[in-house]
């Protein structure tokens, strides 16, 4: 196993001609794909990995300078694919990883057959002619809460993000992976994500994109999915599901898994 693979806890599962990469979002790790993986491994080569900073990665490897922009994560994706000698893949990215995959595809479009985006946003802050869902004051309060008492913040944020009560398995699972992050790293990652504005890069993304979105999502309003569709440089398609929450693959797998499988298997033109 190479250095990059080891650092990101890369797992290779299944076999087949097509390679599918599953990339998790903020506060989770590769375990967020546990409901999807069994449906893919019989016919596909599946690559799972953890973003640097996830609770499952070595915090000593987290470079605060490198990861002040999402480009740092995009370079990681390319490094993983190169180390595994992947010629092309279907990249399934949840939340921030959908945008990370899009950034990676700008410099290496050859590596990506298509990108399946779940709960993706190029900008979380509202702007004059753009609704991202958050005002700066709200984000400042969020960062302050993370800084003052991380464990308490996790307990409050998890049910809001997942869209369920504390008793639900999905909320408990997200709480676990969120709390596994080192608090100072979690704050840094959250600031990078929530303060990012990647709208100007969307026109350079020419790889086909499948945009999948929950009807109700604390972090990403439905209009953001339409904004992505209108502004991406290549072909794209949007599907809004009747699900609630930012982690629908965890909270509503019965609804989401068939949708994901359909978008992974079929191209936009079909």
């Amino acid at each position: 196993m190479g250095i990059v693979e080891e650092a990101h806890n890369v797992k290779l599962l299944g076999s087949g001609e097509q390679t599918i990469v599953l990339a998790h979002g903020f506060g989770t790790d590769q375990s967020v794909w546990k409901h999807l993986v069994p449906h893919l491994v019989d016919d596909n080569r599946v690559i799972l990995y953890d973003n640097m900073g996830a609770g499952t990665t070595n915090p000593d490897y987290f470079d605060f300078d490198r990861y002040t922009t999402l480009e740092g994560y995009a370079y990681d994706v390319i490094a993983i694919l190169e180390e595994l000698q992947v010629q092309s893949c279907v990249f399934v990215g949840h939340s921030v990883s959908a945008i990370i995959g899009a950034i990676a595809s700008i410099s290496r479009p050859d590596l990506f057959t298509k990108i399946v985006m779940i709960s993706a946003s190029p900008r979380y802050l509202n702007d004059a002619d753009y609704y991202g869902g958050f005002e700066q004051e709200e984000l400042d309060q969020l960062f302050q809460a993370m800084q003052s008492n991380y464990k308490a913040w996790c307990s409050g944020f998890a049910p809001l993000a997942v869209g369920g009560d504390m008793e639900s398995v999905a909320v408990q699972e997200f709480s676990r992976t969120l709390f596994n992050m080192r608090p100072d790293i979690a704050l840094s990652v959250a600031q990078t994500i929530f303060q990012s504005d990647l709208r100007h890069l969307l026109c350079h993304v020419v790889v086909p994109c499948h945009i999948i979105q929950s009807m109700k999502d604390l972090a990403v309003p439905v209009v953001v999915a339409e904004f992505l569709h209108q502004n991406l440089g290549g072909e794209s398609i949007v599907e809004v599901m009747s699900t609630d929450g930012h982690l629908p693959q965890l909270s509503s797998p019965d609804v989401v898994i068939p949708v994901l499988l359909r978008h992974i298997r079929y191209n936009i033109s079909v």
Side-chain angles (χ1 to χ4, degrees):
M1 182 180 276
I3 294 169
V4 174
E5 289 175 73
E6 189 181 348
H8 292 275
N9 303 319
V10 173
K11 286 192 183 70
L12 291 168
L13 304 170
S15 60
E17 288 184 21
Q18 180 166 260
T19 298
I20 298 170
V21 177
L22 303 179
H24 68 84
F26 171 70
T28 59
D29 55 43
Q30 60 187 258
S31 66
V32 80
W33 301 112
K34 63 184 179 183
H35 299 298
L36 177 62
V37 169
H39 299 278
L40 298 176
V41 290
D42 288 345
D43 306 310
N44 305 280
R45 184 178 180 227
V46 180
I47 297 173
L48 292 156
Y49 72 94
D50 295 328
N51 280 321
M52 201 51 65
T56 44
T57 60
N58 185 338
D60 293 340
Y61 290 161
F62 188 82
D63 183 331
F64 283 89
D65 291 331
R66 177 185 177 89
Y67 299 112
T68 52
T69 69
L70 298 185
E71 278 81 1
Y73 297 96
Y75 295 139
D76 288 348
V77 170
I78 294 169
I80 291 167
L81 297 178
E82 287 180 341
E83 193 164 284
L84 296 175
Q85 299 182 321
V86 172
Q87 302 300 311
S88 75
C89 72
V90 173
F91 186 90
V92 182
H94 172 240
S95 191
V96 67
S97 276
I99 301 301
I100 290 166
I103 297 169
S105 78
I106 294 172
S107 54
R108 290 296 305 277
D110 56 301
L111 292 175
F112 301 86
T113 311
K114 65 180 165 189
I115 299 173
V116 180
M117 302 178 157
I118 308 162
S119 314
S121 176
R123 177 182 164 108
Y124 293 88
L125 264 175
N126 298 330
D127 203 1
D129 54 351
Y130 174 83
Y131 182 65
F134 294 89
E135 294 294 341
Q136 185 62 55
E137 187 184 357
E138 293 173 289
L139 292 182
D140 291 342
Q141 288 170 354
L142 182 147
F143 302 145
Q144 181 59 45
M146 290 180 77
Q147 208 164 10
S148 59
N149 189 333
Y150 184 66
K151 188 172 185 178
W153 175 80
C154 289
S155 300
F157 183 72
L160 290 173
V162 174
D165 58 48
M166 281 306 289
E167 303 307 309
S168 83
V169 175
V171 170
Q172 289 174 2
E173 179 67 10
F174 184 49
S175 298
R176 179 187 68 80
T177 55
L178 197 59
F179 188 61
N180 276 347
M181 294 182 78
R182 206 173 78 185
D184 58 332
I185 291 175
L187 176 61
S188 177
V189 174
Q191 288 171 331
T192 295
I193 293 169
F194 281 114
Q195 300 289 173
S196 287
D197 186 356
L198 284 306
R199 292 176 297 174
H200 62 289
L201 293 181
L202 297 179
C203 62
H204 302 294
V205 179
V206 296
V207 173
C209 293
H210 296 238
I211 304 156
I212 300 169
Q213 175 67 35
S214 287
M215 181 72 73
K216 187 180 174 191
D217 181 341
L218 163 89
V220 184
V222 172
V223 289
V224 172
E226 187 58 34
F227 180 88
L228 283 168
H229 178 51
Q230 297 295 340
N231 288 275
L232 284 161
E235 285 187 290
S236 63
I237 187 170
V238 177
E239 180 159 353
V240 178
M241 303 175 296
S242 59
T243 49
D244 182 358
H246 189 60
L247 297 93
Q249 75 274 42
L250 200 59
S251 58
S252 307
D254 294 350
V255 175
V256 178
I257 302 309
V259 173
L260 284 175
L261 293 174
R262 182 157 39 82
H263 284 280
I264 287 167
R265 289 169 181 158
Y266 300 113
N267 295 323
I268 290 171
S269 55
V270 172

